[in-house]
Amino acid sequence: MHPPRIVVLTGAGISAESGLPTFRDADGLWEGHDPMTVATPEAYDDDPALVHRFYDERRAALARVRPNAAHRALARLEDALGDRLHLVTQNVDDLHERGGSRRVHHMHGRLRAAWCTACDERTAWDGPLGHRPPCPSCDVPALRPDVVWFGEVPHGMDEIEEALWECDLFVSIGTSGLVYPAAAFVHYAAGNGKETLELNLHASEASVDVGQSRRGPATDLVPA
Ligand code: BJW
């Protein structure tokens, strides 16, 4: 018998115990803030300095945190399953990679990358962008964070749909299930007869639709 094909979707909750705040929990990034003021293309057009400050601070914070036991456990799962594991993350941090995962599908982009709106090139980027540095490819100072904001299309949706269609099990870890299209993956998988499992500290929007739920911190549940 073949080992199972698994699609894992991770959200901010998997990086919380590394010290990165989630979005919607108490003390989260958006507590007391309207996400529409930093996470839409319109917000960027209106006040690019504010948006750059938000992402420059988060990019700098990445250097101060480390992957946790949950990230490392998913890397071990990849060692065991190879390409039968499709790891999709909504997170823009690089903790999966630093935890040892080699193939990570960043559907909402990456904090350590810049996207040039003039020439469309994407570049690895570790420093700030708020001072409007020139694009290494075209020299135009038109670099923005390479992340997917509300109203933009997440990366690699066809590939995710195919992986969900082919998998035996769909697992969501540490995500509130409030943001689409990721929030619909569990319905798509369950509707096509796949096993579904949720690992989360609390009940989420997806809990009622999921086959099995485990409650607890990701650093306990994922290695287990
Ligand atoms: C723990 C834990 C621990 C804590 N252990 N667990 C109406 C209906 C349907 C859709 C829409 C609609 N109106 C608008 C839309 C579309 C819109 C949308 O979903 N809006 C909602 C507000 C309703 N979506 C879009 O615009 C998307 N694009 C799109 O739909 O394009 C059309 C299209 C799709 C497909 C094909 C073709 C066309 C784009 C969405 C982009 C989202 N971007 C952000 C910002 C990214 C950059 C950045 O990081 O700043 O992505 S928003 C933000 O939310 C970020 C996250 O990836 C995303 C999800 O958040 P996440 O990860 O779930 O975090 P939290 O904080 O919500 O939850 C944390 C969870 O962890 C909680 O459950 C905790 O309990 C748990 N937790 N500690 C385990 N230790």
Side-chain angles (χ1 to χ4, degrees), residues 59 110-115 122-125 129 144-147:
R59 197 177 301 106
R110 294 178 304 130
L111 209 40
R112 282 187 159 154
W115 172 32
R122 292 182 149 85
T123 314
W125 200 269
L129 288 170
R144 59 160 264 190
D146 189 13
V147 301

Side-chain angles (χ1 to χ4, degrees), residues 5-7 160-171 184-197 209-212:
R5 286 191 183 277
I6 305 179
V7 175
I160 297 173
E161 197 174 313
E162 195 180 318
L164 287 169
W165 177 252
E166 288 176 350
C167 76
D168 303 295
L169 170 67
F170 169 75
V171 186
F185 293 171
V186 65
H187 306 123
Y188 186 85
N192 287 309
K194 317 299 185 182
E195 300 280 329
T196 55
L197 167 68
D209 300 310
V210 82
Q212 291 191 51

Side-chain angles (χ1 to χ4, degrees), residues 12 17 23-24 55 58 90 108 148 151-152 175-176 180 200 218:
E17 292 165 82
F23 294 91
R24 298 169 182 83
Y55 286 99
R58 287 175 57 199
Q90 297 168 89
H108 289 166
V148 177
E152 298 182 326
T175 176
S176 57
Y180 288 83
N200 198 308

